[in-house]
Amino acid sequence: MGDPNVGLPLALTRWITHFCAPVFVFPAGTSAGLMAARKSPQDLCAFLLTRGLWLIFVEFFVISDGHLRLLPAASSSLAVSTLIFMQVIWAIGASMVLLAFAQFLGRKACLGARPR
């Protein structure tokens, strides 16, 4: 199941980190749904697209750069220095970009209901 050599404090910190992204994404999606009542679909699309692209930018140019600086001295080779990590922040940003356009499909399509 897990590594038996990992102590309880480390296991608990690993376990609690699994809640970070879902706890961030749920309010972000809820706020997008609430904004749909106040904003036009075009304004909501622009807002979600901007926010999603910003998160993708941060993942590529801030977080990936930080990861590369943590690699050993061998990271000076061209293959490693052009490496881009696409992790949780990128996935959240890409989801917001998709949501920006999916909201034009209508509420039934987004909820998975069959249109009549």
Side-chain angles (χ1 to χ4, degrees), residues 23-39:
V23 166
F24 174 76
V25 171
F26 180 74
T30 303
S31 70
L34 293 172
M35 281 192 290
R38 293 186 328 224
K39 293 185 175 208

Side-chain angles (χ1 to χ4, degrees), residues 74-87:
S75 66
S76 62
S77 70
L78 181 62
V80 175
S81 65
T82 57
L83 184 65
I84 294 178
F85 292 95
M86 295 174 13
Q87 295 181 34

Side-chain angles (χ1 to χ4, degrees), residues 4 9-10 15 20 30-31 40-41 46-47 50 61 64 72 74-75 78 83 90 93-94 97-99 103 108:
L10 182 58
W15 178 76
C20 293
T30 303
S31 70
S40 70
F47 176 78
T50 304
F61 296 105
S64 287
S75 66
L78 181 62
L83 184 65
W90 174 86
V97 170
L98 288 174
L99 182 61
Q103 55 109 12
K108 287 185 178 181

Side-chain angles (χ1 to χ4, degrees), residues 40-113:
S40 70
Q42 292 78 17
D43 290 340
L44 183 59
C45 178
F47 176 78
L48 291 171
L49 187 63
T50 304
R51 179 176 277 183
L53 291 175
W54 175 248
L55 288 172
I56 292 170
F57 174 83
V58 167
E59 178 76 47
F60 283 176
F61 296 105
V62 177
I63 297 172
S64 287
D65 186 55
H67 283 295
L68 287 176
R69 293 184 192 280
L70 295 175
L71 291 176
S75 66
S76 62
S77 70
L78 181 62
V80 175
S81 65
T82 57
L83 184 65
I84 294 178
F85 292 95
M86 295 174 13
Q87 295 181 34
V88 175
I89 302 298
W90 174 86
I92 293 170
S95 296
M96 284 189 180
V97 170
L98 288 174
L99 182 61
F101 297 106
Q103 55 109 12
F104 287 112
L105 297 174
R107 202 169 268 191
K108 287 185 178 181
C110 289
L111 292 175

